[in-house]
Amino acid sequence: MNHGTRRKVPPGLAYGALALFFVWAAAYRIPATADLIRRITRPQDQVATSMFVAWPDGIVLAAPEDLLERSEPQIRVGDRLVSVAGRPFRQPKDVVRAFAAAGPHGSVPFVVARKGNDGGEQTFDTVLRMRSIAEGPHSAFVRVLYAVLGVFMPWVCFLVGFWVVAVRPRDPLAWLVVLMLLGFAQVAALLQQTYELWPELLRIPGALYVATLGATWPIWFALFGARFAGRLDWERRHRWITPLVLAPYGAFAVAGVVTGAAAAVDARGVVPFVRLVARVQGAAYPATVAAISFFFLMMGWKGGVTTAPDARRRLRVLMWGATIALSPPFVLGIVQLATGRSLDSFPILIVIPSLLLLAVFPLTLAYVILVDKAMDVRVVVRQGLKYAATRGAIRVLVAVSMLAVVWNLWILVDDPSTNRPRKLTAIGWGMTFAILLPRVMKGALAWTDRRFFREAYDAERVLTELSDEVRSILDTDTLLDTVLERIGTTLHVDRLAVFLREGDRLVSSRAKGYASFPQLAFAPAEGVIQRVAESGKPFRVRHDDPDSPIRRSQMKDEGRELLDALDVEMLLPLLGRKELLGVVTLGPKRSEEPYSPSDAKLLGSVATQTGLALENSRLTARIAHEVARRERMSREIEIAREVQSKLFPQHIPVLPGIECAGFCRPAQGVGGDYYDFLALAGGRLGVALGDVAGKGIPAALLMASLQASLRGQRLSGPVNLGELMDNLNRLIYEASPDNRYATFFYGELDPGSRRLDYVNAGHNAPMIFRRDGGPVERLAASGPVIGLIGAGTFEQRSVVLEPGDLLVVYSDGISEAWNREDEEWGEDRLQAAVRSARERAAPELIDALFVEADAFAAGAVQHDDMTVVILRMLRSS
C-alpha cells in the first residue's frame, strides 16, 4: 500500500519505539487480565465495584444505589465525596481500595456533599454495604461481558495490533491499527478500573495507559478510515480537512489524557484546567460523533469509487463490522442523553447483546488484515496451524462460557439466601445456554471453514469462472489482461507476465507488477520451455522446492536464467490445438506460500481455456483481416464497376433507318466483355463487341485498354478495317501479358447503302435474321484473336442488310449459359428466342433474350459475362 514518498523512520528507532510501547501495553494488559479472570472464576470473593468518581472533586459518576444500607441516605450521581472510610478523598483509588479492604461482606462509611436548591452544599454521612460479584443482579451476564469484552476481545486487539506493527514497524498505517485496536479495547472495558489496586509501579503506568488509549481512540479510528486502502484524491489535495474535523475532539482527547495523568499522581496544580474542561464537557459527545462519523464517511466513499474487487470487498467487510459493532451502543448513548437514564436502567436483554457486539469490529479487522491480507502482512505460520488455532480458540471460548454458566448456576442453587424464583430463572437461562452454545459453536466452526480459507474457496470459484469466461473473449489484449488481473487478484500474485510465440521465439507480450516491462524472449526448444510444452501442465520452478522438476533435473539453460530474473515460481503453458502458443509466468504469492496442487489444477484449467481462446482470437483476427481485405476489394470492385459502366455507351447514336441497342451483364462485379456504338463521319455507325479472356479486374483493365485503343485508332487510323484491326492487335499485344487476349467483332454500317463492313477477330459469328424468315446467316471469323500474337492477318468483309433485317452480335456467355444439369442453352435456343421476339423493339428484344437464358439456367450460377448487341434495319414507311 502506497502512502506517499515520505521519509522512512530508521528501523532501529521504529523497533525501539515498538518495544517500549509493547512493554507499556503488556504491563497493563497482563495484570488486568488476571484481575478479570479472578472476577470470572471466583465471583463470590470479589467485591462488586459499582461506584466511580471523577478527580479532583470526587463527583460521583455512577451511583451504587443497590449497595446502600436501607436506613442510610442515597448517594446520587453528581454528589461529591468528602471522605472515604474516615480519610479525605484525594484520588479514585481511595474508593476502590476502601471497597477491597472491606471485602465482599463488609461496609464502607462515606461523607458526601450535595448541592441544595440555594446553591449551597449539604453534608451527610452514609454507609455502603459491600457484596460479591456473585450476589449482584445478572451476575452470569456480567461475567460473560468480563470474559468477552475484558479478556477475549482485548487480547485479540493486543495480538493483532502488535503483530501488524511488528511486521511493518515503519508503516504509519500499522501504528494506526495498533493504537486504534488498543484504544477500542479500553472503550469496551466498561470502566473496570482494576489498576487502582495495583502497586504504584504498575498503577501509574496503567492509569496513563487507560487515559491515553481510551481518550484518543476516536482519533486513531478516524485516521485509520482516511488511510486504509489508500487516501482519497480530494482528501490528499485538501490536507486541512482531516485536522479540521478532528481538532474539536483532539482538544477533548488532550484534556482527557491530562486529567487521567493528573488523577494518577494527584497533581493538584492542573485542577483549574480540569475544572475548565468540565464546564464544556457537553460538547465532547458531538465531537466524538463527528470523529467516528468521519471514519464511516471515508470508508463509504472509498467503497463507492474503488474499482479493485479485493479492496472493495475489504472496505465493505470493515464497514459492516464497524456498523454492527458501534450502532447499538451509539443508539443506547443517544437514548441515555435524551432520557437521562443510566445504563443499568435498560433491560438486560438489550444491554448485553449491544455491548457484546462491540467485539465484532476487532474480529472483523483481524480477519481483513490476517486472512484477507489487506496490508500485505506476511503470515508465516503454516495454514494448518492457523486453522487449528482458530478452531481451538472457538472451542475454548465456548467451553469457558459453558463453565461460567454452570459455575454461576451452582453458586445460585447452593446459596441458601437465593430465593426460589431466582433459582428457577437461573436454571432456565442455564438450559437456554446449554441448548444454544453448541449450535453457536457449530456455526462458528463452519464459518471458520468458509472464511478462514476464503482464498481457497474464492480461488476455486473465481478461476473456474475465469476458465469459462475466457472462451468468449475474442480480443487478444483484453483476453491476456483479464487473465493476468484475475489470477493476480485471486491468488495474491504481484508479478505476472505473458510470452507469446513469434516465429521461433517466445516474446514478452503482457506484464503486471514489474517495475519495467520485461524485454525478454525464450526459445521454445530450450529445456524449461520444452518441458512445459511437452507436459501441457502447470510447471513449478521454485528452486528451493525438492519436488520442483527443475531441481530434480538440474536444468542449466538460458530459459532457467531468464526465469530466475523474472522471479518465476509457476509456468502455465498456453497450448493451441497443434503447438505451444505461449506461456504465462507467475511470481511468488504475497503470503510466500508455495502453489498448492489445487492451485496448479485450477491454473491448468485456466491456461487450457486461455490457449484455446488465444487461438480462436488469432483466428478471429485473421478472419477479421480477411473480411476487411475483402470489403476493401469489394469496394474497389464496386468503384471499378462504376468506372466500367461509364465505358459502355451512355447515349446510343440515333441514325435514320437504323435501330440499335446493347447490354452487358458481368458475371462478377466487373467483367471483360465490351460493346460500343461509334458515331462516325459521313453518318456511318460503328458497332463493336469484344470478349476478353478471363474475369475480374485484369479482364476489365484489358477491356478498358481495348475500348481506348479502338476509339483512338478509329479517329486517326486507317480506313481499311483489316489494317485497323492489325494496329489494334499490336497495341493490345504490347500492353498485355502473354496470357491475355480478346475475341473481337467490329463493323461499320453505311445507312445510305446499308452495307456493313466488318472484321471478326476470332469472335462468335454474329447472326443476321433476314426479313423473309430465311436461314440465319453467320458472319464468320476473318482473322485471329487480338493480343495473343504480335502479327496477324485480318480481312475486311462486307454484307448488305435489307430493311427488316436483324443483326445479333453476342458473347459466348449468353449462348453457353448453363443450367443445374450442366446443359448449355446453345445457339439454337438463342436463335429460337430471337425469332419469337424479333418484332419487339431492340431494347425489349435484349430483355427477352436474357429472360429466356435465365429461365433455362433456373438459378444456376453463371461464370461468364453475358453481352448482346442488336442492330435492326427499319422498313420504310
Side-chain angles (χ1 to χ4, degrees):
M1 185 176 299
N2 184 13
H3 301 290
T5 56
R6 61 174 62 89
R7 188 168 60 180
K8 291 289 186 179
V9 177
L13 181 60
Y15 281 109
L18 174 61
L20 291 176
F21 188 43
F22 178 83
V23 171
W24 185 26
Y28 171 80
R29 180 53 52 202
I30 293 173
T33 301
D35 289 343
L36 289 172
I37 289 176
R38 283 192 290 270
R39 294 186 181 192
I40 296 169
T41 58
R42 299 185 59 82
Q44 68 278 8
D45 298 333
Q46 306 297 315
V47 176
T49 306
S50 61
M51 184 171 74
F52 301 98
V53 294
W55 183 87
D57 298 321
I59 304 300
V60 176
L61 301 176
E65 297 178 357
D66 56 339
L67 298 183
L68 294 172
E69 298 281 2
R70 293 184 182 276
S71 60
E72 300 295 336
Q74 299 287 319
I75 296 179
R76 303 173 185 171
V77 173
D79 290 346
R80 184 174 62 85
L81 297 186
V82 177
S83 66
V84 181
R87 296 181 180 180
F89 171 81
R90 298 286 298 179
Q91 297 174 263
K93 72 174 182 178
D94 297 337
V95 177
V96 178
R97 293 187 175 187
F99 285 178
H105 302 292
S107 297
V108 178
F110 285 86
V111 177
V112 180
R114 178 177 300 164
K115 286 187 177 181
N117 294 331
D118 57 357
E121 281 191 341
Q122 179 183 3
T123 303
F124 61 90
D125 296 336
T126 187
V127 176
L128 271 66
R129 177 181 59 83
M130 300 295 99
R131 66 155 187 265
S132 67
I133 293 176
E135 296 172 316
H138 314 301
S139 173
F141 293 114
V142 171
R143 280 179 283 159
V144 169
L145 286 179
Y146 286 160
V148 176
L149 300 184
V151 178
F152 174 73
M153 192 191 77
W155 275 105
V156 170
C157 295
F158 183 91
L159 295 174
V160 172
F162 278 106
W163 172 263
V164 172
V165 79
V167 173
R168 305 176 64 123
R170 295 191 291 171
D171 186 352
L173 184 61
W175 283 91
L176 285 178
V177 168
V178 68
L179 290 169
M180 177 183 63
L181 285 176
L182 297 182
F184 190 83
Q186 291 310 121
V187 172
L190 305 176
L191 299 177
Q192 297 302 321
Q193 299 175 357
T194 60
Y195 58 85
E196 298 291 12
L197 296 175
W198 300 349
E200 292 298 295
L201 186 62
L202 290 179
R203 184 188 70 83
I204 293 177
L208 293 175
Y209 179 88
V210 171
T212 302
L213 274 300
T216 59
W217 172 78
I219 296 177
W220 314 130
F221 189 63
L223 290 176
F224 176 80
R227 300 299 190 273
F228 182 77
R231 300 174 65 180
L232 291 168
D233 290 339
W234 64 265
E235 192 266 340
R236 186 182 290 105
R237 291 194 304 268
H238 306 288
R239 296 178 181 271
W240 52 268
I241 292 179
T242 301
L244 180 65
V245 173
L246 299 182
Y249 182 79
F252 287 105
V254 171
V257 174
V258 171
T259 300
V265 298
D266 196 22
R268 295 284 166 168
V270 298
V271 168
F273 171 77
V274 174
R275 288 174 178 167
L276 175 63
V277 172
R279 293 192 185 98
V280 295
Q281 193 65 30
Y285 191 78
T288 306
V289 171
I292 294 175
S293 299
F294 188 72
F295 167 87
F296 288 98
L297 171 66
M298 302 300 282
M299 297 291 282
W301 198 313
K302 291 176 187 177
V305 301
T306 300
T307 57
D310 267 5
R312 189 165 56 247
R313 182 186 64 251
R314 293 161 183 160
L315 289 167
R316 185 170 60 247
V317 170
L318 272 182
M319 277 286 291
W320 275 108
T323 302
I324 293 172
L326 297 179
S327 294
F330 175 76
V331 173
L332 286 179
I334 293 294
V335 174
Q336 279 186 277
L337 289 176
T339 62
R341 297 168 58 184
S342 65
L343 189 63
D344 294 339
S345 64
F346 290 92
I348 191 69
L349 293 181
I350 293 178
V351 175
I352 295 297
S354 299
L355 296 178
L356 286 176
L357 286 175
L358 288 169
V360 171
F361 176 69
L363 292 175
T364 302
L365 182 60
Y367 165 77
V368 169
I369 291 176
L370 297 182
V371 178
D372 206 16
K373 300 179 178 65
M375 295 177 60
D376 295 338
V377 176
R378 295 174 295 174
V379 183
V380 295
V381 183
R382 298 297 297 176
Q383 194 81 346
L385 181 57
K386 291 188 293 182
Y387 174 65
T390 304
R391 291 175 64 91
I394 293 174
R395 290 191 175 98
V396 169
L397 181 60
V398 171
V400 169
S401 301
M402 286 293 294
L403 287 174
V405 171
V406 173
W407 184 260
N408 183 63
L409 286 174
W410 174 260
I411 292 175
L412 288 176
V413 172
D414 191 53
D415 188 355
S417 63
T418 305
N419 56 37
R420 184 177 180 82
R422 188 173 178 185
K423 290 182 179 181
L424 292 176
T425 302
I427 292 173
W429 279 110
M431 294 178 64
T432 302
F433 271 100
I435 294 172
L436 293 179
L437 278 178
R439 296 183 179 180
V440 171
M441 183 179 71
K442 183 178 179 181
L445 293 176
W447 179 90
T448 301
D449 289 340
R450 293 192 307 271
R451 294 300 182 182
F452 195 86
F453 293 107
R454 182 201 62 76
E455 180 175 306
Y457 283 93
D458 280 4
E460 182 173 0
R461 176 180 58 81
V462 172
L463 295 182
T464 300
E465 292 175 355
L466 177 61
S467 65
D468 295 332
E469 180 182 348
V470 295
R471 301 175 188 171
S472 61
I473 302 177
L474 299 180
D475 181 70
T476 300
D477 293 343
T478 303
L479 170 69
L480 298 179
D481 288 340
T482 300
V483 170
L484 292 187
E485 179 64 29
R486 202 72 60 84
I487 291 176
T489 301
T490 304
L491 297 180
H492 304 288
V493 181
D494 289 328
R495 294 187 293 278
L496 306 95
V498 177
F499 294 81
L500 296 183
R501 187 162 193 157
E502 293 184 5
D504 60 349
R505 304 288 286 174
L506 293 176
V507 181
S508 53
S509 174
R510 278 288 187 278
K512 177 178 181 290
Y514 292 96
S516 60
F517 190 81
Q519 299 292 340
L520 303 175
F522 296 88
E526 290 173 352
V528 179
I529 307 302
Q530 187 176 14
R531 290 201 57 173
V532 172
E534 291 173 354
S535 68
K537 298 178 180 179
F539 196 86
R540 297 175 64 187
V541 297
R542 286 193 63 168
H543 304 293
D544 58 349
D545 184 356
D547 295 328
S548 170
I550 284 185
R551 180 170 179 178
R552 291 201 308 266
S553 62
Q554 295 297 316
M555 292 182 183
K556 296 292 184 181
D557 56 25
E558 180 186 354
R560 178 174 174 178
E561 294 176 359
L562 294 175
L563 295 177
D564 290 342
L566 292 171
D567 194 19
V568 175
E569 289 194 5
M570 178 76 78
L571 275 174
L572 305 180
L574 302 179
L575 296 174
R577 292 172 177 82
K578 297 181 179 180
E579 63 177 357
L580 179 70
L581 303 178
V583 294
V584 179
T585 65
L586 279 65
K589 294 183 179 180
R590 295 179 199 162
S591 62
E592 299 183 350
E593 296 176 350
Y595 289 90
S596 66
S598 61
D599 291 337
K601 181 179 179 181
L602 292 170
L603 290 171
S605 175
V606 171
T608 299
Q609 297 301 328
T610 302
L612 295 176
L614 182 60
E615 192 169 54
N616 291 337
S617 173
R618 291 182 171 181
L619 178 60
T620 302
R622 286 196 294 269
I623 293 174
H625 176 74
E626 180 64 20
V627 168
R629 187 183 67 83
R630 292 192 177 189
E631 287 180 351
R632 289 195 302 271
M633 289 182 62
S634 297
R635 180 56 185 160
E636 292 170 356
I637 290 174
E638 178 64 20
I639 294 173
R641 187 192 66 78
E642 293 175 1
V643 172
Q644 187 180 48
S645 67
K646 300 296 183 182
L647 299 179
F648 293 122
Q650 302 301 304
H651 303 285
I652 304 297
V654 178
L655 299 176
I658 300 175
E659 180 189 20
C660 55
F663 180 73
C664 175
R665 185 170 73 187
Q668 299 179 4
V670 291
D673 278 9
Y674 159 63
Y675 78 92
D676 205 354
F677 295 103
L678 287 76
L680 303 175
R684 294 167 64 84
L685 175 67
V687 179
L689 193 152
D691 183 359
V692 177
K695 304 293 181 292
I697 297 293
L701 292 174
L702 185 56
M703 171 265 191
S705 177
L706 180 61
Q707 187 225 36
S709 298
L710 173 65
R711 287 179 174 259
Q713 286 294 313
R714 199 63 202 91
L715 290 176
S716 59
V719 175
N720 185 275
L721 299 186
E723 296 177 8
L724 181 145
M725 193 63 62
D726 182 59
N727 291 342
L728 193 64
N729 175 63
R730 284 187 286 104
L731 291 173
I732 299 301
Y733 177 78
E734 293 170 358
S736 63
D738 294 340
N739 61 346
R740 293 294 176 188
Y741 62 91
T743 64
F744 193 64
F745 173 85
Y746 178 71
E748 292 183 358
L749 176 65
D750 182 356
S753 63
R754 300 189 300 278
R755 190 184 74 193
L756 175 68
D757 299 326
Y758 68 91
V759 176
N760 187 342
H763 194 71
N764 300 81
M767 302 177 182
I768 298 178
F769 294 84
R770 298 294 181 177
R771 65 181 179 179
D772 56 5
V776 174
E777 296 180 18
R778 308 296 295 270
L779 305 183
S782 59
V785 297
I786 62 174
L788 184 62
I789 57 178
T793 302
F794 299 92
E795 178 185 354
Q796 175 180 311
R797 296 177 182 178
S798 300
V799 65
V800 176
L801 299 177
E802 301 296 335
D805 288 351
L806 185 70
L807 173 64
V808 178
V809 187
Y810 61 95
S811 67
D812 58 6
I814 191 165
S815 61
E816 296 177 0
W818 294 83
N819 64 12
R820 297 184 185 277
E821 286 73 33
D822 293 336
E823 295 177 337
E824 282 188 0
W825 191 36
E827 293 184 348
D828 292 341
R829 290 188 178 92
L830 173 61
Q831 293 177 18
V834 172
R835 291 183 186 281
S836 64
R838 67 171 295 167
E839 298 304 324
R840 298 183 184 182
E844 296 176 358
L845 174 57
I846 291 176
D847 292 340
L849 296 181
F850 275 89
V851 169
E852 290 290 335
D854 290 342
F856 175 81
V861 178
Q862 301 304 306
H863 300 285
D864 202 358
D865 305 330
M866 304 169 71
T867 306
V868 176
V869 169
I870 300 291
L871 192 149
R872 186 200 306 270
M873 299 302 296
L874 299 177
R875 295 185 179 93
S876 59
S877 57

